[in-house]
Amino acid sequence: MKGVLLVNLGSPKSTKSQDVKVYLDEFLMDKRVIDVPFWLRSFIVRGIILNTRPKKSAEAYQKIWWENGSPLIVLSENLQEKVQQNINDMPVELAMRYGNPSIKEGIKKLVDQKVNEILLLPLYPQYAMATTETVIAEAERVKNEFFPQLHIDYLPAFYGKESYIKLLSKSIQESIQNLDYDHILFSYHGVPERHIKKRDITKNHCKIDKSCCFENSKAHQYCYRHQCYQTTKNVVETLGLDANKCSTSFQSRLGFDPWLQPYTDRTIEKFALSGIKKLVVVTPAFVTDCLETLEEIAMEGKEIFEENGGEEFTVIPCLNDREDWANLLSDWVKDWQTNKLETQEELLWLD
């Protein structure tokens, strides 16, 4: 029997500092998030970050928390329910990479319903070590340890799927069609530059400059930077936007190592100082609104923009639990049922 598992990032159980600390420990101790030796990662996370950051992060979560819980969890549950309504001949479950429900719990729910073949959909449009890869790695670990007879297929990064680009473009168009704006900023979650080079399967293509992301290369299959820039390019072309009024940036950097640039906060500040008065921000690395979109962009980004002379700051919602997004996911599931869906062929770096 077949089943489906949707996997999103996750969220703390509550806005209490202790719950945020537990969540951050699981998240930041992941070797694909902070990719340094365990002893150094433990020193950085448990010796420094967890002694200072949970209180500040808890305050940030309090600003965006809904009455019925974490926005990311609530919206993901709504999405799962809608996909399940569309797919009535197989079970659809939800899991989080960090926090609850865990990937193990999600898989067990399916196995308890006699499922022996799963399509796992990481809800990340672009591939990165700290997103799609860590979801696949954890699912493989759980399968090998607890469910060795289970077969799992994985949906690859879908940033380049025409159906996804059309839907993303449609959602953006709905927000800007009657809006007067000066510029659109496509802000993606940041990753350290070393992650890009680590996942260069050619070992010599990625240079982190203005050229390599647009040169044809098989390295693009696992290159987060390329996939972000390509997403922006595809949307701009689909909507017929003025490319000179659109740009790409990266947010949420951590530590002192170089991360992908330009940085979103500095870009927003620069735009305001340069005379841009009406800025639109879209966050295509996320399919679900969360702390990074609702607080870091919609609140902190707006404050930066207005403090430096900006006047109108518009953040476009993620796809969240839109009916057409649930329908698209359901279509991919149906394609998988009939062996028409391309799934992840190589499970690389799953040590």
Side-chain angles (χ1 to χ4, degrees):
M1 180 177 175
K2 292 185 174 184
V4 178
L5 186 63
L6 306 177
V7 182
N8 214 329
L9 174 69
S11 174
K13 184 169 63 174
S14 77
T15 61
K16 295 179 181 178
S17 293
Q18 183 55 40
D19 287 337
V20 173
K21 183 176 183 178
V22 170
Y23 173 76
L24 289 177
D25 181 73
E26 182 181 8
F27 174 43
L28 297 176
M29 284 300 295
D30 186 336
K31 66 181 180 180
R32 287 175 171 80
V33 174
I34 299 182
D35 54 322
V36 297
F38 176 83
W39 68 268
L40 180 56
R41 184 165 66 253
S42 183
F43 172 75
I44 293 171
V45 175
R46 294 170 176 167
I48 300 175
I49 295 176
L50 294 185
N51 289 319
T52 57
R53 188 163 176 172
K55 183 176 183 296
K56 181 179 179 182
S57 293
E59 292 171 353
Y61 276 109
Q62 289 165 13
K63 295 178 185 178
I64 59 101
W65 210 258
W66 290 353
E67 185 176 340
N68 53 345
S70 160
L72 181 141
I73 300 294
V74 174
L75 289 166
S76 297
E77 289 173 343
N78 292 344
L79 181 66
Q80 177 261 324
E81 290 173 4
K82 290 179 179 180
V83 174
Q84 181 66 87
Q85 290 171 5
N86 292 338
I87 308 293
N88 52 26
D89 59 346
M90 70 171 76
V92 178
E93 296 293 344
L94 175 68
M96 299 291 152
R97 175 58 185 91
Y98 311 105
N100 294 308
S102 68
I103 289 177
K104 181 183 176 183
E105 290 174 53
I107 291 177
K108 185 176 187 303
K109 284 183 179 179
L110 291 171
V111 171
D112 288 346
Q113 297 173 75
K114 310 303 180 183
V115 167
N116 56 18
E117 188 174 356
I118 292 175
L119 173 64
L120 190 151
L121 289 82
L123 295 175
Y124 305 105
Q126 300 85 20
Y127 182 98
M129 285 175 57
T131 57
T132 307
E133 185 177 313
T134 189
V135 166
I136 294 175
E138 176 63 9
E140 286 293 302
R141 183 194 70 80
V142 168
K143 183 193 77 169
N144 293 336
E145 184 171 351
F146 301 101
F147 311 102
Q149 304 307 314
L150 187 65
H151 176 80
I152 303 179
D153 286 327
Y154 298 95
L155 178 73
F158 48 86
Y159 74 100
K161 279 184 171 290
E162 183 179 359
S163 54
Y164 163 73
I165 291 297
K166 285 183 177 179
L167 177 56
L168 176 61
S169 300
K170 176 186 174 186
S171 72
I172 295 170
Q173 180 63 30
E174 289 172 355
S175 295
I176 66 173
Q177 58 185 350
N178 297 316
L179 194 65
D180 181 24
Y181 63 88
D182 299 323
H183 199 90
I184 300 179
L185 178 63
F186 291 74
S187 177
Y188 298 83
H189 199 283
V191 300
E193 289 185 356
R194 66 176 180 274
H195 282 201
I196 305 301
K197 294 182 178 179
K198 275 189 173 184
R199 290 306 175 251
D200 177 4
I201 57 178
T202 71
K203 303 303 181 183
N204 59 21
H205 176 76
C206 295
K207 303 176 183 64
I208 317 291
D209 62 14
K210 295 182 179 180
S211 65
C212 61
C213 277
F214 297 103
E215 294 176 354
N216 187 35
S217 173
K218 62 181 181 180
H220 294 168
Q221 182 181 0
Y222 299 106
C223 180
Y224 178 73
R225 186 176 186 271
H226 159 77
Q227 294 180 12
C228 291
Y229 278 107
Q230 190 64 48
T231 301
T232 299
K233 184 174 184 290
N234 289 346
V235 171
V236 169
E237 291 177 352
T238 298
L239 291 178
L241 300 175
D242 182 350
N244 294 319
K245 296 177 66 174
C246 301
S247 54
T248 295
S249 64
F250 300 90
Q251 64 191 82
S252 308
R253 59 192 182 277
L254 175 70
F256 300 100
D257 290 337
W259 282 49
L260 292 181
Q261 297 186 46
Y263 299 136
T264 293
D265 53 355
R266 295 179 185 174
T267 300
I268 291 173
E269 179 183 15
K270 181 187 72 174
F271 282 158
L273 291 173
S274 69
I276 288 177
K277 298 298 182 183
K278 301 175 182 180
L279 181 65
V280 173
V281 182
V282 57
T283 53
F286 305 92
V287 297
T288 313
D289 277 310
C290 54
L291 186 70
E292 287 79 0
T293 64
L294 298 173
E295 197 273 339
E296 184 178 355
I297 296 296
M299 295 181 184
E300 291 185 11
K302 180 179 181 180
E303 184 177 346
I304 293 171
F305 189 63
E306 292 179 344
E307 284 180 349
N308 290 280
E311 296 176 358
E312 295 183 18
F313 188 85
T314 303
V315 180
I316 296 177
C318 294
L319 296 177
N320 292 326
D321 56 356
R322 291 172 57 116
E323 294 287 345
D324 47 10
W325 174 222
N327 292 341
L328 179 56
L329 288 171
S330 303
D331 287 344
W332 292 345
V333 172
K334 292 172 184 176
D335 286 344
W336 174 67
Q337 283 182 287
T338 56
N339 299 314
K340 296 178 182 177
L341 181 73
E342 178 185 354
T343 55
Q344 190 79 37
E345 294 183 359
E346 296 178 281
L347 303 183
L348 304 180
W349 310 294
L350 299 187
D351 52 308

